[in-house]
C-alpha cells in the first residue's frame, strides 16, 4: 500500500506499508523477513532546498525460530539543487542511534552522518 499527499506550501507526506506473508518449504515464516514494514516520510521544499524526514518501522521478524526485536529508525536529510546537474546533500541515518538487529548477533550501524555532492551527466 502506497500513499503520497501534497499538503501545499511546499509540504508533503509519503507513506508505504508492506505485509509480508512469506513461507519456507516447511510452512514457517521465512527467516529475517519482517511480517510488517512501514515507512512514513515528510518533506518540505523551499525553492532549491528540500528537507526530508523518514521513519522506518519494522515488526515481527524471526530468525531460526527466534523473534527479533521490533524497531523504528529515523533518517533526516537536506538537499540543495545548485543547477539541473549538481546538488549538495547532507543526511543523518539512524538519527537517534537506535540499537537494532536485522540478523541476530550483528548490530547495524549507529548514527551515521553523510555529506556530499551529486553530479548527473
Amino acid at each position: 500500500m502506497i500513499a503520497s499527499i501534497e499538503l501545499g506550501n511546499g509540504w508533503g507526506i509519503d507513506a508505504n506499508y508492506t505485509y509480508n506473508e512469506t513461507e519456507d518449504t516447511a510452512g514457517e515464516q521465512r527467516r529475517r523477513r519482517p511480517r510488517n514494514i512501514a515507512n512514513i516520510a515528510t518533506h518540505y521544499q523551499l525553492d532549491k532546498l528540500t528537507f526530508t524526514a523518514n521513519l522506518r518501522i519494522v515488526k515481527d521478524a524471526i530468525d531460526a525460530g527466534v523473534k527479533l526485536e521490533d524497531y523504528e529508525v529515523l533518517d533526516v536529510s537536506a538537499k540543495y539543487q545548485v543547477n539541473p546537474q549538481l546538488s549538495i546533500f547532507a543526511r543523518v541515518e539512524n538519527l537517534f542511534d537506535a540499537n537494532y538487529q536485522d540478523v541476530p548477533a550483528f548490530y547495524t550501524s549507529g548514527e551515521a552522518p553523510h555529506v556530499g555532492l551529486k553530479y548527473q551527466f
Side-chain angles (χ1 to χ4, degrees), residues 1-28:
M1 176 170 54
I2 298 172
S4 183
I5 303 169
E6 292 301 321
L7 301 173
N9 295 324
W11 286 96
I13 296 175
D14 301 305
N16 64 62
Y17 170 76
T18 301
Y19 177 78
N20 279 320
E21 190 171 2
T22 61
E23 294 180 353
D24 60 17
T25 56
E28 300 293 325

Side-chain angles (χ1 to χ4, degrees), residues 108-121:
T108 54
S109 172
E111 179 184 3
H114 303 271
V115 294
L117 299 171
K118 180 178 180 180
Y119 187 83
Q120 293 179 298
F121 295 93

